[in-house]
Amino acid sequence: GVRFLVRGEAPMRISLQVRAEVPGFEPERWERSVYVGADEAERTVSFSDMRPVGKTHSPTPPNSAVRSIMFVVDTTNSLPGSSGRLWLGAVRLVKAQ
């Protein structure tokens, strides 16, 4: 999974996404929504808690094939044209507990 420190200028939700390489196919993505408060907090997202974005070959990301980690603020959780700041720190991969 992924562990990180996060805070926002105001409470918000972000999407933590991972992208995995699948031989013979386009890369596939999985995501998990994460609440971000105004106070810094540590969050941990397990790959097993992530859900597919679109069609994938497996219900959760294949750990060994994950090549990208993205922190996404999009119109699913924020209004178009709105603004704000997000702080991330100590981003690291962790083993499932």
Side-chain angles (χ1 to χ4, degrees):
V2 182
R3 184 171 293 150
F4 54 97
L5 296 174
V6 64
R7 73 179 172 95
E9 190 169 42
M12 66 174 74
R13 282 199 162 274
I14 64 170
S15 173
L16 176 65
Q17 298 182 13
V18 297
R19 184 174 296 165
E21 297 295 327
V22 180
F25 296 93
E26 293 292 317
E28 298 177 348
R29 289 186 300 146
W30 293 260
E31 70 179 345
R32 172 74 183 205
S33 176
V34 177
Y35 173 78
V36 177
D39 295 322
E40 184 176 75
E42 184 176 71
R43 300 281 186 250
T44 302
V45 175
S46 173
F47 289 163
S48 63
D49 290 337
M50 301 184 101
R51 299 295 168 246
V53 175
K55 187 176 180 179
T56 61
H57 286 83
S58 65
T60 58
N63 294 351
S64 63
V66 170
R67 296 293 179 261
S68 302
I69 299 171
M70 300 167 283
F71 295 87
V72 180
V73 179
D74 59 26
T75 55
T76 301
N77 296 310
S78 301
L79 295 173
S82 63
S83 65
R85 288 184 280 188
L86 175 72
W87 290 268
L88 294 167
V91 178
R92 58 208 180 273
L93 294 173
V94 294
K95 290 187 178 192
Q97 307 256 344

